[in-house]
């Protein structure tokens, strides 16, 4: 799957966002090493701390279906003028399973930038940190 195809899947997921408070839809598409893609959208909650971001939705779907390794890339698409990078909580969740993940941050016009998760979360805390 090309980066553009992965980005398109993330953009498509924005329409499923449940966003009565922020009105800021976000979609995500997580690519596994075997080519499978798990998608997600943000789901807000009146108890704001219970809100879940699109990228964590995609990751939790993958893990709940038996995928805990081999993640290659994630595209995260917002509708704003800036690139939609993962928040700190999402960076930490993704790092748990894929510290070498490629992250594609997409802005509202479809343009995207790439960064490694290790660059976005330097000195990340993961399973090896507990040894």
């Amino acid at each position: 799957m090309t980066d553009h195809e992965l980005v398109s899947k993330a953009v498509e997921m924005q329409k499923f966002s449940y966003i009565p408070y922020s009105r800021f839809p976000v979609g995500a598409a997580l690519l596994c090493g075997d080519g499978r893609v798990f998608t997600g959208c943000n789901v807000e909650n009146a108890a704001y701390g219970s809100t879940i971001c699109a990228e964590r939705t995609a990751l939790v779907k993958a893990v709940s279906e038996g995928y805990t390794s081999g993640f290659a890339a994630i595209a995260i698409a917002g509708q704003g003028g800036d690139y939609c990078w993962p928040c700190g909580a999402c960076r930490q969740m993704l790092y748990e399973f894929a510290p070498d993940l490629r992250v594609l941050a997409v802005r509202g016009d479809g343009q995207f930038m790439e960064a490694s998760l290790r660059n976005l979360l330097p000195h990340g805390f993961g399973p090896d940190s507990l040894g």
Side-chain angles (χ1 to χ4, degrees):
M1 168 166 292
T2 69
D3 288 350
H4 288 283
E5 290 170 329
L6 193 64
V7 163
S8 291
K9 287 186 178 294
V11 169
E12 178 70 16
M13 288 306 298
Q14 292 178 40
K15 70 181 179 188
F16 298 112
S17 293
Y18 177 75
I19 50 167
Y21 309 107
S22 74
R23 304 277 188 232
F24 188 79
V26 178
L30 177 63
L31 175 64
C32 300
D34 66 0
R36 177 120 186 232
V37 175
F38 289 91
T39 57
C41 63
N42 53 332
V43 179
E44 295 180 347
N45 190 277
Y48 295 142
S50 298
T51 293
I52 186 167
C53 299
E55 48 271 55
R56 282 186 282 151
T57 300
L59 178 64
V60 169
K61 285 170 63 175
V63 171
S64 72
E65 293 191 30
Y67 286 76
T68 58
S69 64
F71 301 114
I74 188 166
I76 307 157
Q79 291 185 350
D82 201 358
Y83 295 98
C84 194
W85 296 105
C87 72
C90 289
R91 292 175 194 202
Q92 180 60 48
M93 282 283 293
L94 292 166
Y95 193 92
E96 176 82 11
F97 297 96
D100 295 313
L101 190 68
R102 287 186 324 111
V103 178
L104 307 175
V106 188
R107 63 186 192 196
D109 65 2
Q111 297 296 311
F112 62 92
M113 290 181 62
E114 177 180 334
S116 71
L117 185 57
R118 284 191 190 274
N119 282 343
L120 294 175
L121 187 63
H123 311 290
F125 185 84
D128 293 341
S129 302
L130 298 174

